[in-house]
Amino acid sequence: MNLGWVWLFFLFFNYCVLVSSLNDEGLALLSFKQSISEDPEGSLSNWNSSDENPCSWNGITCREEKVVSVSIPKKKLVGFLHSSLGSLSVLRHVNLRNNKFYGSLPVELFNSQGLQSLVLYGNSFSGSIPTQIGNLRYLQSLDLSQNFMNGSIPKSLIQCKRLRTLDLSQNNFTGSLPFGFGSGLIALEKLDLSFNQFTGLIPSDMGNLSSLQGTVDFSHNNFSGLIPASLGKLPEKVYIDLTSNNLSGPIPQNGALENRGPTAFIGNPGLCGPPLKNPCPSGTPGADGPSSFPYLPGNSPAVTADSEGGKTGKSKGLSKNAVIAIVASDVVGICLIGLLFSYCYWKFCSCKKGKDESGGHFEKGSKGRKECLCFRKDESETLSENVEQCDLVPLDMQVGFDLDELLKASAFVLGKSGIGIVYKVVLEDGLTLAVRRLGEGGSQRFKEFQTEVEAIGKLRHPNIVTLKAYYWSIDEKLLIYEYIPNGNLSAAIHGKAGMVSFTPLPWSVRLQIMKGIAKGLSYLHEFSPKKYVHGDLKPNNILLGENMEPHISDFGLGRLANIAGGSPTLQSNRMASDKQQQLQHAPSEVMTVSSTMSLGSCYQAPEALKIVKPSQKWDVYSFGVILLEMISGRSPMVQVGTTEMDLVRWIQLCIEEKKPLGDVLDPFLAREPEREEEIIAVLKIALACVQTSPEKRPSMRHISEALDRLIAASD
């Protein structure tokens, strides 16, 4: 009995020694580990109490055996943020982005007064920002985007004078911005408040944020009142996004707000004046903008003599003809100077643009730097602002790669069309992406491109391909998408050229694909921020995932290609010589790019030949043609004797001639007679979609609901 007690005491003593061997900071981190309920990748597996300190643990960085950084991003950790992190006395950086943390931010975390960066985006945190955030006088980066946080921004945030990055986008924050926001946070370089519920006025002191760069995003909130003219004081290279708020009144035309396109202001019904087409009512302050005539010193307000030799307070100034003559002479003078400058430039400058060849890796084009005899780039800004954007811009918070990784990756040509080449790119860590090269043309519309591509990048739906990042430089424009592995719908319906064996899709799979496409289009039409139109829907740009779920691709592609300025006939042929064979022998997951214009036109609504601007009813018609193609198994162009007709006309002809259903159906579907009622129901939906009159076509939301009911009834 006594011997047993001795053994128990010995074991307990050893356990105490093991635990006590770990320093206080290690114990604090073990408390943090205990608050994590799931660690599927074993990221914290080497956090052991037997160590003397935590400096060798995964995600931990120390300096002089003191923890300065806790960085565990993208590890699928589930749990809450333990207050023990606040006891790490010299903590400088916390990065827990893209995990599954929940709950509120512990007040104790803000005891680490030396904290410089707090990056928590892409989790499920809730609650408000503690007022104790004002303690973090050295804080430079605060990123809480893509969470479920609410409440208003505490006034104490203004005390974080060194803050450079503030990203609160995609949360549920409310209230107005605190007084002194612009004059207090003068070190800000990035500001994103989009997709929240902020209210009130945009502070007039925002113009003091002279260090801002890139896009300042106020979009998708409830800001109201006038746009403060002081925003024009921001650096002219800054793009100010004010879309989808409740702003009203005239748009100031000064500085950073001047010469901007309408895309920065849409979604504010109360705004008026250029660049919008909505003119301001007469009498509105600032509605008339600058005077039509230039201000001439001594002319306004002048005191002139009247006919009696007295004085009157009204100024006649120069006559209208005199002013017009002055303006005309100025214009002529400027034109002459411009012509002289152009002549000198082309006479004495000799510019050469470098070319390169890419080999087995995905290489971007040469920088295309122009070496001019009369100008150097650092002496003359010959291109528009920000076009030399030589870095990858992520649109998805889960993007964990950079430009160097992308350029070093293995690449395989998937297809080529009038809108660039598409590559399958495999990074070193195994991540697979689809990269579309838009070409080399264009350099003057970067801001417009940036606005469009970032709007597309915000779309998130399981049936729409995600645009993850983009790259823009003078001679190269790239779009980086998620990779969808199972090819496109056209190949799934008809097979691919040269395929030895082909198994048609069963009806149940086809029905699920139809349902997914309808949901994706319904999202674009009804629930996306701007109620978009695809405008070019066809089976070639409907990609199929691992479980044959559909993903609509190429949304907005034509618009982006037009802005980028790449000519379809002048696409780069680099990589083509050693990659074309891969296209012919590409695996089944290849994302084929159609170049057959005659087939593509079969999916266009009849009114598309007359109306330039696409409508949602165009997409409905295209969807109807796709349904008919999936039901019949036939191509969009049907051979009838010696002539061809489009699939819609052929189906209508079969109905007029009262041919049996078996003549219309894909023969493979005839093996499923129990599905006949469902097939007929979908056929009726398809025929409603391809009505000649757009007004008679149903909306995608109603179509999606009808397919949902049909599938629910069959289960």
Side-chain angles (χ1 to χ4, degrees):
M1 186 69 178
N2 290 336
L3 185 61
W5 280 107
V6 170
W7 273 107
L8 285 174
F9 176 79
F10 179 74
L11 291 173
F12 178 76
F13 177 78
N14 281 340
Y15 174 78
C16 292
V17 169
L18 287 174
V19 172
S20 62
S21 65
L22 185 63
N23 64 16
D24 291 341
E25 298 207 333
L27 293 174
L29 289 173
L30 284 184
S31 296
F32 167 69
K33 179 181 179 180
Q34 290 174 357
S35 69
I36 296 174
S37 57
E38 294 182 29
D39 180 12
E41 298 183 7
S43 305
L44 311 183
S45 59
N46 71 336
W47 287 32
N48 299 316
S49 58
S50 57
D51 296 327
E52 292 184 2
N53 59 62
C55 298
S56 62
W57 293 357
N58 292 337
I60 303 301
T61 302
C62 292
R63 185 175 301 160
E64 297 179 356
E65 298 188 354
K66 290 285 189 179
V67 176
V68 295
S69 174
V70 178
S71 181
I72 321 170
K74 299 168 57 177
K75 298 301 181 182
K76 303 177 183 178
L77 300 176
V78 179
F80 61 91
L81 200 56
H82 199 278
S83 60
S84 60
L85 288 183
S87 64
L88 302 176
S89 58
V90 296
L91 186 63
R92 297 291 181 266
H93 308 282
V94 175
N95 182 0
L96 301 175
R97 63 182 174 90
N98 293 118
N99 282 291
K100 298 179 181 180
F101 286 99
Y102 56 86
S104 58
L105 302 183
V107 173
E108 293 81 3
L109 177 63
F110 302 96
N111 292 336
S112 301
Q113 298 186 10
L115 198 64
Q116 296 176 9
S117 65
L118 181 59
V119 180
L120 302 176
Y121 71 76
N123 283 282
S124 298
F125 287 111
S126 57
S128 59
I129 301 175
T131 58
Q132 288 80 1
I133 194 169
N135 298 337
L136 307 182
R137 304 300 174 91
Y138 297 94
L139 188 65
Q140 298 179 23
S141 179
L142 178 63
D143 193 339
L144 304 176
S145 59
Q146 295 191 39
N147 280 285
F148 299 101
M149 302 195 68
N150 51 39
S152 58
I153 298 179
K155 294 181 180 179
S156 57
L157 182 67
I158 308 301
Q159 299 170 18
C160 302
K161 304 291 186 182
R162 304 189 185 192
L163 197 60
R164 295 183 178 179
T165 297
L166 178 60
D167 193 342
L168 305 179
S169 61
Q170 300 186 52
N171 278 283
N172 297 310
F173 287 113
T174 56
S176 57
L177 300 184
F179 178 77
F181 187 94
S183 54
L185 302 178
I186 57 174
L188 271 183
E189 297 176 358
K190 176 184 178 181
L191 176 62
D192 191 346
L193 304 175
S194 62
F195 289 92
N196 280 286
Q197 300 175 42
F198 288 116
T199 56
L201 303 175
I202 295 177
S204 59
D205 61 0
M206 282 290 185
N208 296 326
L209 302 179
S210 58
S211 298
L212 284 174
Q213 303 172 11
T215 298
V216 178
D217 204 337
F218 296 97
S219 68
H220 300 278
N221 280 287
N222 296 310
F223 288 113
S224 58
L226 299 174
I227 298 175
S230 60
L231 284 182
K233 294 166 56 180
L234 294 178
E236 291 191 7
K237 292 184 178 181
V238 167
Y239 181 81
I240 305 169
D241 192 345
L242 299 169
T243 57
S244 299
N245 280 284
N246 295 319
L247 299 168
S248 58
I251 299 172
Q253 294 296 303
N254 64 312
L257 292 170
E258 191 175 12
N259 298 324
R260 297 299 185 192
T263 52
F265 308 102
I266 58 176
N268 293 277
L271 286 179
C272 61
L276 302 178
K277 295 181 179 179
N278 177 29
C280 292
S282 58
T284 303
D288 298 329
S291 172
S292 301
F293 299 103
Y295 169 77
L296 300 175
N299 284 350
S300 177
V303 180
T304 58
D306 61 14
S307 59
E308 302 295 328
K311 294 183 179 180
T312 177
K314 293 183 179 180
S315 169
K316 294 182 180 179
L318 294 178
S319 68
K320 183 176 180 180
N321 290 336
V323 173
I324 292 174
I326 293 172
V327 173
S329 62
D330 287 344
V331 171
V332 172
I334 292 171
C335 291
L336 289 174
I337 293 172
L339 289 172
L340 181 62
F341 178 86
S342 299
Y343 174 79
C344 292
Y345 181 85
W346 292 110
K347 182 75 175 175
F348 300 108
C349 291
S350 176
C351 300
K352 296 180 180 180
K353 185 175 181 180
K355 299 289 184 182
D356 75 333
E357 298 293 333
S358 62
H361 294 286
F362 182 81
E363 302 276 352
K364 72 178 180 67
S366 66
K367 299 290 285 185
R369 181 186 176 96
K370 294 186 175 183
E371 299 295 343
C372 298
L373 299 179
C374 49
F375 296 115
R376 291 198 306 271
K377 184 167 179 62
D378 57 355
E379 294 175 343
S380 175
E381 189 64 29
T382 59
L383 295 174
S384 65
E385 300 167 352
N386 275 354
V387 299
E388 190 86 28
Q389 165 102 26
C390 298
D391 200 2
L392 194 71
V393 181
L395 301 172
D396 185 336
M397 292 303 181
Q398 296 183 353
V399 170
F401 56 89
D402 56 24
L403 184 62
D404 289 337
E405 292 178 82
L406 187 69
L407 300 183
K408 293 176 183 177
S410 300
F412 310 89
V413 174
L414 294 180
K416 185 176 182 181
S417 73
I419 311 181
I421 305 173
V422 180
Y423 302 90
K424 175 184 176 182
V425 176
V426 184
L427 303 183
E428 290 183 353
D429 63 0
L431 177 64
T432 305
L433 302 164
V435 179
R436 182 182 288 275
R437 168 181 276 162
L438 287 182
E440 303 175 356
S443 61
Q444 303 300 317
R445 301 172 70 183
F446 169 68
K447 287 295 184 185
E448 194 176 354
F449 182 89
Q450 181 188 44
T451 300
E452 291 289 333
V453 80
E454 290 185 356
I456 294 171
K458 290 177 180 178
L459 297 178
R460 291 291 183 274
H461 190 274
N463 297 116
I464 296 177
V465 176
T466 301
L467 179 60
K468 302 178 78 66
Y470 72 94
Y471 173 85
W472 171 294
S473 71
I474 297 173
D475 63 341
E476 194 75 276
K477 289 86 184 169
L478 305 176
L479 300 176
I480 296 93
Y481 295 92
E482 65 174 323
Y483 179 73
I484 311 298
N486 244 336
N488 63 45
L489 182 58
S490 180
I493 298 173
H494 307 294
K496 291 188 297 183
M499 184 180 291
V500 178
S501 61
F502 169 63
T503 304
L505 298 173
W507 175 251
S508 59
V509 175
R510 298 188 199 202
L511 194 56
Q512 290 294 336
I513 292 173
M514 297 172 189
K515 174 184 174 183
I517 300 170
K519 285 188 176 299
L521 285 177
S522 181
Y523 168 78
L524 284 178
H525 290 184
E526 304 281 350
F527 305 107
S528 63
K530 299 182 182 179
K531 296 188 176 181
Y532 291 105
V533 176
H534 189 288
D536 189 30
L537 188 72
K538 51 194 174 187
N540 275 345
N541 54 34
I542 296 170
L543 309 179
L544 301 175
E546 293 182 359
N547 299 314
M548 300 303 287
E549 70 280 4
H551 300 258
I552 299 171
S553 71
D554 291 359
F555 167 68
L557 184 59
R559 169 78 173 151
L560 291 175
N562 177 266
I563 296 173
S567 171
T569 59
L570 296 176
Q571 296 297 332
S572 170
N573 61 1
R574 289 170 294 182
M575 302 177 66
S577 61
D578 59 342
K579 298 291 184 181
Q580 287 302 319
Q581 294 298 321
Q582 297 181 32
L583 179 59
Q584 298 174 7
H585 303 287
S588 60
E589 71 269 18
V590 161
M591 181 170 62
T592 309
V593 181
S594 171
S595 60
T596 310
M597 296 304 294
S598 60
L599 292 180
S601 63
C602 294
Y603 301 96
Q604 292 182 355
E607 67 271 18
L609 298 174
K610 303 176 183 178
I611 303 173
V612 176
K613 186 178 180 180
S615 73
Q616 294 182 353
K617 293 304 176 80
W618 288 25
D619 290 345
V620 175
Y621 185 93
S622 302
F623 180 71
V625 179
I626 293 171
L627 293 188
L628 293 177
E629 195 170 345
M630 297 181 75
I631 291 170
S632 67
R634 294 177 179 268
S635 297
M637 292 296 293
V638 181
Q639 189 75 32
V640 181
T642 58
T643 62
E644 278 189 333
M645 67 174 63
D646 64 79
L647 181 58
V648 173
R649 179 62 190 137
W650 180 78
I651 293 284
Q652 291 170 342
L653 188 63
C654 290
I655 294 173
E656 291 170 6
E657 296 177 355
K658 297 182 179 180
K659 291 187 177 182
L661 182 63
D663 289 358
V664 176
L665 288 186
D666 184 339
F668 183 80
L669 296 180
R671 303 176 188 178
E672 302 182 68
E674 70 281 3
R675 298 285 195 171
E676 184 174 305
E677 289 187 9
E678 292 177 16
I679 296 173
I680 292 174
V682 175
L683 180 59
K684 290 179 179 178
I685 293 173
L687 292 173
C689 292
V690 296
Q691 291 282 329
T692 303
S693 173
E695 292 77 17
K696 294 182 179 180
R697 299 171 201 155
S699 69
M700 283 310 308
R701 179 167 59 85
H702 289 132
I703 296 168
S704 179
E705 291 171 354
L707 290 172
D708 279 342
R709 289 193 297 269
L710 186 63
I711 292 175
S714 64
D715 290 343

